[in-house]
C-alpha cells in the first residue's frame, strides 16, 4: 500500500528526501523553467510596484502632447500616447490587469474543471456520460467567437470578463482530472480506505485528489497563459477591458494606428504578452517534468 500512495507515501518515508525537496531539485535543473519563473517574479514585482512609484497615474494627461504620440524622453521613457498619457505607466498598470485576469481566470477554470472531472471519473456511469458529453459540446465551440459574442452583449467589467474566460477554458482540465480519478480510484490505497469505511467525498478529497495534484497544478499553470492570450485578443479587438483602464491587449489596439509613426507604443505590450506566455509555458513544462519524472 505504501508504493500505491505515490507522492503522499514518498513524503512519509523517513529514509528518502521529501517529495517536495526532490521535486524542487528536478525543477531547478530545468533551466528554461527557472528562467521563466525568475522572469514572472520580476514582472509581477514590476507591475505591482511600478504604478506606485512612477510619477504619473495611468489616466494623467499632458495637454501639450495631445494629438499625436510623443517621443521617448527623460520624462516619458516610453513616450506618450495620442492623448498625452505616459506609456510606461500604462504598460505597468496594464500588466497588473492582464496578469490578474489571467490568474483569476485560470483559478476558476481549474476549479471548475477539477470538479467536473473528479465527479465524472469517480462516479462513472450516467454521471460520467452526462458530464463528458457536456464537456465535448463545450470543446466543440470555438472559445474566441463565443467570448466575443458574450463580451459584445454584456460589455464586461474585469470581474465579469474573468468569469467568462474561466467558464470557457476548463474542459481540458476536466478531461485530465477524469482520467486521473478513473485510474486512481482502482489503486490499492483507495480500496483500503474504502474497506475502512471511507465513502464518496472523503475518498475523493482525502485519498485521490492529493495524488492528482501534480498534473492539476501543471494544467493550472498552462491555463494562465491561455487566459492571458484570450484576454489580450479580446482587448485588442475592443471587446475586453474597456478604456481608459489599460491592458496589454487594448494598448496594442490603441497603438496599431500609429505603428509606422510610433512603434515604441506597440512593441513593449506585444513583447510583454509574448514573453509572459512563453515564461508561463516554460514553468508549466518544468513543473510537469519535476512532478512526473520519466525514468
Amino acid at each position: 500500500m505504501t508504493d500505491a500512495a505515490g507522492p503522499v507515501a514518498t513524503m512519509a518515508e523517513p529514509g528518502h528526501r521529501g517529495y517536495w525537496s526532490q521535486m524542487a531539485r528536478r525543477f531547478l535543473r530545468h533551466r528554461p523553467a527557472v528562467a521563466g519563473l525568475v522572469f514572472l517574479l520580476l514582472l509581477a514585482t514590476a507591475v505591482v510596484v511600478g504604478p506606485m512609484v512612477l510619477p504619473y497615474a495611468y489616466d494623467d494627461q499632458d495637454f501639450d502632447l495631445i494629438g499625436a504620440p510623443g517621443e521617448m524622453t527623460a520624462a516619458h521613457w516610453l513616450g506618450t500616447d495620442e492623448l498625452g498619457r505616459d506609456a510606461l505607466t500604462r504598460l505597468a498598470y496594464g500588466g497588473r490587469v492582464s496578469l490578474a485576469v489571467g490568474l483569476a481566470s485560470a483559478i476558476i477554470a481549474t476549479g471548475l474543471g477539477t470538479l467536473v472531472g473528479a465527479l465524472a471519473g469517480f462516479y462513472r456511469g450516467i454521471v460520467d456520460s452526462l458530464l463528458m458529453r457536456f464537456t465535448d459540446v463545450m470543446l466543440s465551440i470555438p472559445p474566441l467567437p463565443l467570448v466575443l459574442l458574450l463580451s459584445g452583449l454584456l460589455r464586461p467589467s474585469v470581474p465579469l470578463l474573468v468569469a467568462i474566460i474561466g467558464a470557457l477554458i476548463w474542459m481540458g482540465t476536466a478531461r485530465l482530472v477524469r482520467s486521473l480519478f478513473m485510474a486512481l480510484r482502482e489503486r490499492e490505497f483507495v480500496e483500503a480506505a474504502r474497506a475502512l469505511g471511507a465513502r464518496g467525498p472523503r475518498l475523493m478529497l482525502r485519498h485521490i485528489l492529493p495524488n492528482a495534484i501534480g498534473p492539476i497544478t501543471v494544467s493550472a499553470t498552462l491555463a494562465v497563459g491561455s487566459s492571458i492570450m484570450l484576454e489580450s485578443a479580446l482587448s485588442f479587438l475592443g471587446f475586453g477591458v474597456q478604456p481608459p483602464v489599460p491592458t496589454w491587449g487594448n494598448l496594442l489596439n490603441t497603438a496599431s494606428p500609429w505603428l509606422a509613426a510610433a512603434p515604441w507604443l506597440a512593441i513593449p505590450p506585444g513583447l510583454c504578452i509574448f514573453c509572459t506566455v512563453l515564461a508561463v509555458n516554460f514553468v508549466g513544462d518544468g513543473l510537469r517534468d519535476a512532478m512526473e519524472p520519466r525514468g
Side-chain angles (χ1 to χ4, degrees), residues 39-40 43-44 46-48 78 87-102 224-225 227-229 231-237 241 245-256 265-278 280:
F39 173 82
L40 291 175
L43 180 65
V47 300
V48 170
L78 293 180
L88 179 59
T89 302
R90 291 179 62 77
L91 181 71
Y93 194 92
R96 180 188 292 185
V97 176
S98 292
L99 290 180
V101 169
V224 174
S227 301
I228 292 173
M229 286 291 292
E231 182 279 324
S232 298
L234 286 172
S235 296
F236 178 76
L237 295 171
V241 179
V245 177
T247 72
W248 289 336
N250 65 31
L251 287 177
L252 278 175
N253 184 17
T254 57
S256 57
L265 292 181
I267 292 174
L271 279 177
C272 285
I273 295 170
F274 172 77
C275 293
T276 301
V277 174
L278 185 64
V280 167

Side-chain angles (χ1 to χ4, degrees), residues 115-124 127-128 131-132 174 177-183 185-186 208:
L115 177 63
V116 172
L119 292 174
F122 185 81
Y123 289 108
R124 300 192 294 188
V127 174
D128 181 31
L131 291 176
M132 286 301 103
V177 173
R178 171 184 177 266
S179 65
L180 291 170
F181 268 63
M182 291 186 73
R185 76 186 299 276
E186 306 299 332
I208 300 179

Side-chain angles (χ1 to χ4, degrees), residues 158-170:
V158 171
L160 186 56
L161 184 64
V162 166
I164 291 173
I165 294 175
L168 293 176
I169 62 170
W170 55 268

